[in-house]
Amino acid sequence: MDQNRVFSFAKDSKKNVKDFKKCLASTVKLQRHWGERVPISWTKLESVLRKLKEKSHKVFSFSNLSRFVLKTNELGINNEDDLCKALKFFNDTGVILYRIELFRSEINDRIEHIIILDVQWLVNAFKSIIYDKEHIKAMDVMRDLHEFKELTEHGLLTSNVLNVLWQNSEFDEHKKSLVQYMKHLDMLAELSEEMWYVPCMNKQKFDSEILD
């Protein structure tokens, strides 16, 4: 670990804050996108995405965005390939979450192709899977707690449990797409079409010899 990147902070103290800001700024400037020139059309598209987010859109359909962009000559984006390049750039710079490869396959054709405008929304969706208060609510709904215990003890998440955890929320509406993003980010792993493994929920203790 680089000791120059390790900082300690105390409550109500500004000690190390200045050095931390300098380190943060220098790290950001090392990113490959720092100082990169982008087409003016991308800047206009970013403005559109921010306005959608300001209107409380957590996610937005790629097909709807594509239709809007290609009809709006003012943006200067004339085809889907250019749109995808711009969205990839915004994904890489943290503006949105978008991975087109998650939806371009025969298996995933039936999954809704969405752009996540609010990354915190995805975090909240995952938090509802691992957060105790949500589990207590789910236990009140589920008659058979065996599947639920498999999640809390072994990290095995079934589609039935996920449906209960996400019921009456926007998460449930975009379930398949959210699972795709979570798999891509290694938040969970697919075991079958109806079951996933959530590593951070596995409370099993393993002998250290297993690592040898």
Side-chain angles (χ1 to χ4, degrees):
M1 181 181 292
D2 187 348
Q3 294 301 313
N4 293 322
R5 293 173 178 264
V6 178
F7 302 90
S8 62
F9 299 96
K11 186 177 181 181
D12 300 324
S13 172
K14 294 185 178 180
K15 183 180 178 181
N16 293 330
V17 172
K18 187 175 181 180
D19 290 337
F20 173 71
K21 287 181 177 179
K22 285 183 178 179
C23 179
L24 185 62
S26 63
T27 301
V28 170
K29 290 178 181 178
L30 290 174
Q31 301 301 306
R32 62 189 179 89
H33 291 297
W34 180 262
E36 181 178 340
R37 292 186 176 183
V38 299
I40 188 66
S41 59
W42 291 15
T43 305
K44 292 179 180 179
L45 176 61
E46 182 179 10
S47 178
V48 170
L49 296 173
R50 291 193 184 281
K51 287 179 180 177
L52 286 172
K53 184 178 177 180
E54 288 169 3
K55 292 180 179 179
S56 299
H57 287 285
K58 308 297 185 184
V59 297
F60 205 73
S61 163
F62 175 82
S63 59
N64 288 341
L65 180 66
S66 178
R67 279 194 295 269
F68 170 77
V69 168
L70 297 183
K71 286 181 179 179
T72 308
N73 296 327
E74 295 178 1
L75 291 184
I77 296 177
N78 302 314
N79 55 66
E80 279 197 359
D81 285 341
D82 287 344
L83 175 59
C84 289
K85 289 177 183 177
L87 293 175
K88 182 180 184 304
F89 175 82
F90 294 138
N91 174 84
D92 294 345
T93 53
V95 176
I96 60 171
L97 189 57
Y98 173 75
R99 305 295 297 186
I100 191 171
E101 62 268 26
L102 300 182
F103 306 99
R104 281 189 170 176
S105 73
E106 291 182 7
I107 296 175
N108 297 330
D109 275 348
R110 61 184 180 275
I111 298 177
E112 182 189 14
H113 190 167
I114 64 170
I115 303 158
I116 297 180
L117 302 174
D118 186 349
V119 178
Q120 182 61 46
W121 182 75
L122 173 69
V123 174
N124 292 343
F126 186 66
K127 187 171 75 172
S128 69
I129 296 174
I130 65 175
Y131 192 42
D132 286 344
K133 285 187 178 180
E134 297 300 326
H135 294 169
I136 293 172
K137 293 177 185 176
M139 290 175 69
D140 291 336
V141 175
M142 296 189 69
R143 294 180 179 178
D144 183 0
L145 296 181
H146 173 72
E147 290 185 32
F148 185 75
K149 288 182 178 179
E150 283 292 293
L151 169 64
T152 57
E153 295 178 8
H154 304 122
L156 298 177
L157 173 66
T158 65
S159 184
N160 289 334
V161 171
L162 187 57
N163 288 339
V164 172
L165 291 171
W166 283 356
Q167 66 180 344
N168 302 321
S169 72
E170 282 186 285
F171 307 142
D172 184 59
E173 181 182 349
H174 303 287
K175 177 183 173 182
K176 290 183 178 180
S177 299
L178 280 172
V179 167
Q180 281 296 102
Y181 276 109
M182 289 180 184
K183 285 164 51 182
H184 171 72
L185 295 169
D186 295 327
M187 293 174 162
L188 48 79
E190 185 174 283
L191 301 178
S192 70
E193 288 188 5
E194 298 294 319
M195 182 178 290
W196 305 271
Y197 173 57
V198 187
C200 67
M201 292 296 290
N202 191 347
K203 296 182 176 65
Q204 294 182 88
K205 293 183 179 180
F206 297 96
D207 194 298
S208 59
E209 293 180 359
I210 199 171
L211 300 175
D212 297 335

